[in-house]
Amino acid sequence: MYRDLGYYWLRFAIYIALCLTVGTIFYDVGDSFGSIQARGSLLNFVAAFLTFMAIGGFPSFVEDMKIFGRERLNGHYGVSSFVIANTVSSTPYLALISLIPGAIAYYLVGPQSSFGHFAYFALVLFVTMMVVEGLMMIVASVVPDFLMGIITGAGIQGVMMLNGGFFRLPNDLPKPVWRYPMYYVAFHKYANQGFYKNEFLGLTFPNNQATGGATISGGEILRNIWQVEMGYSKWVDLAVLCGMVILYRMLFLAIEKLKPMIAGLRFRNTMRSVQVAEQQGSGSP
């Protein structure tokens, strides 16, 4: 990973450029009523596009999978060791990508500037990228061709992104399929809602709407504008994302353990067909 410039280092440079761009576009966003939409757009960009770029390391991971396949056949180590090693080795790079570009974007825009709020922002970004890495591990296991894998992974993330509660508010999503179950399957839902709760709770904005008082609180914004589920805290959203990190890696582990069994069944079926054909051929006049 350290030697491969395309695995994390190129992504790190692109993340810095993107966060400089988004930071200057939303620079000093302020606390006007219009800043509510600006803050939501910024947070959705971070939860959607910055995490979407985690597919950039997919070709390098496919090469890792080829090495793993050969070393596994030689009996050097198994799937569990590979999953643990890949997770541990990728963690410092993803943490670096979350902290430095995240700090650039966060402090240029000027949302809630306390360290606790920034720490939660960087933590959600880090965990969400871990989720995408796990998702792409599953895609690599099922679709080993890197071009088809990137297309498949991008398509899956695109569907999740559209059902994350920003482009179409949760109450407006069509209930069959898109609200139930896709809205709850998409990791963007939990990333967006964690970001929103972290950002808006505790703030007050001037109210430009015809109804209501002179100001509008962050809680009202979350309930009425973004339709966020307020029955639990932002830490629950983070916990769900952490659960997805574990779930996706366990799915990858299960798929890789099942692949030799499936291949063995196919091989036995093929051999049986060949033997039947040979017996029929030897008995013919």
Side-chain angles (χ1 to χ4, degrees):
M1 289 179 179
Y2 179 80
R3 292 192 298 268
D4 190 344
L5 293 177
Y7 214 142
Y8 289 110
W9 298 119
L10 179 59
R11 266 197 285 164
F12 180 61
I14 297 299
Y15 269 65
I16 290 177
L18 279 173
C19 287
L20 281 171
T21 302
V22 75
T24 51
I25 288 174
F26 291 94
Y27 179 72
D28 195 13
V29 71
D31 55 2
S32 65
F33 184 80
S35 71
I36 297 172
Q37 179 64 40
R39 291 169 190 260
S41 300
L42 165 70
L43 295 172
N44 180 74
F45 176 84
V46 172
F49 191 74
L50 288 187
T51 57
F52 180 87
M53 286 187 60
I55 67 174
F58 183 79
S60 299
F61 180 74
V62 170
E63 295 302 315
D64 277 354
M65 286 289 292
K66 292 177 182 177
I67 297 171
F68 160 65
R70 291 193 294 268
E71 295 187 342
R72 179 188 182 186
L73 290 174
N74 289 328
H76 294 305
Y77 53 86
V79 185
S80 301
S81 300
F82 176 75
V83 172
I84 294 170
N86 181 270
T87 302
V88 172
S89 59
S90 65
T91 298
Y93 297 99
L94 295 178
L96 182 69
I97 290 173
S98 304
L99 285 173
I100 296 179
I104 292 171
Y106 194 85
Y107 287 106
L108 279 175
V109 174
Q112 296 207 42
S113 57
S114 72
F115 178 76
H117 286 89
F118 167 70
Y120 182 87
F121 172 85
L123 195 56
V124 171
L125 178 58
F126 165 72
V127 175
T128 309
M129 285 196 291
M130 290 283 288
V131 171
V132 178
E133 292 263 317
L135 176 64
M136 296 309 294
M137 288 171 70
I138 296 172
V139 173
S141 181
V142 177
V143 188
D145 178 78
F146 76 88
L147 180 59
M148 295 300 295
I150 288 177
I151 295 170
T152 303
I156 293 171
Q157 287 196 72
V159 171
M160 290 185 176
M161 199 183 302
L162 286 171
N163 289 277
F166 177 81
F167 296 102
R168 190 73 167 160
L169 291 173
N171 293 341
D172 299 328
L173 285 170
K175 288 184 169 56
V177 181
W178 303 123
R179 179 67 186 271
Y180 307 105
M182 282 305 303
Y183 174 63
Y184 294 94
V185 171
F187 64 85
H188 297 85
K189 167 192 183 296
Y190 308 100
N192 282 336
Q193 295 205 6
F195 279 146
Y196 289 161
K197 291 172 186 176
N198 184 59
E199 175 58 28
F200 287 102
L201 286 177
L203 295 181
T204 302
F205 299 85
N207 188 8
N208 290 358
Q209 296 176 329
T211 58
T215 60
I216 182 171
S217 68
E220 292 175 299
I221 292 168
L222 293 176
R223 283 189 295 268
N224 302 327
I225 296 180
W226 298 119
Q227 299 178 5
V228 171
E229 297 171 3
M230 299 296 291
Y232 51 87
S233 73
K234 63 184 181 181
W235 299 105
V236 175
D237 293 299
L238 179 60
V240 172
L241 290 171
C242 291
M244 287 185 169
V245 172
I246 298 171
L247 175 63
Y248 284 170
R249 278 161 173 75
M250 293 301 293
L251 285 174
F252 172 80
L253 182 68
I255 291 170
E256 285 297 315
K257 283 186 174 294
L258 286 173
K259 281 168 73 173
M261 301 178 190
I262 296 171
L265 289 173
R266 291 177 59 188
F267 179 74
R268 283 198 294 269
N269 290 336
T270 303
M271 290 298 295
R272 189 178 298 113
S273 301
V274 171
Q275 290 173 0
V276 170
E278 288 177 348
Q279 289 173 2
Q280 290 177 346
S282 61
S284 60

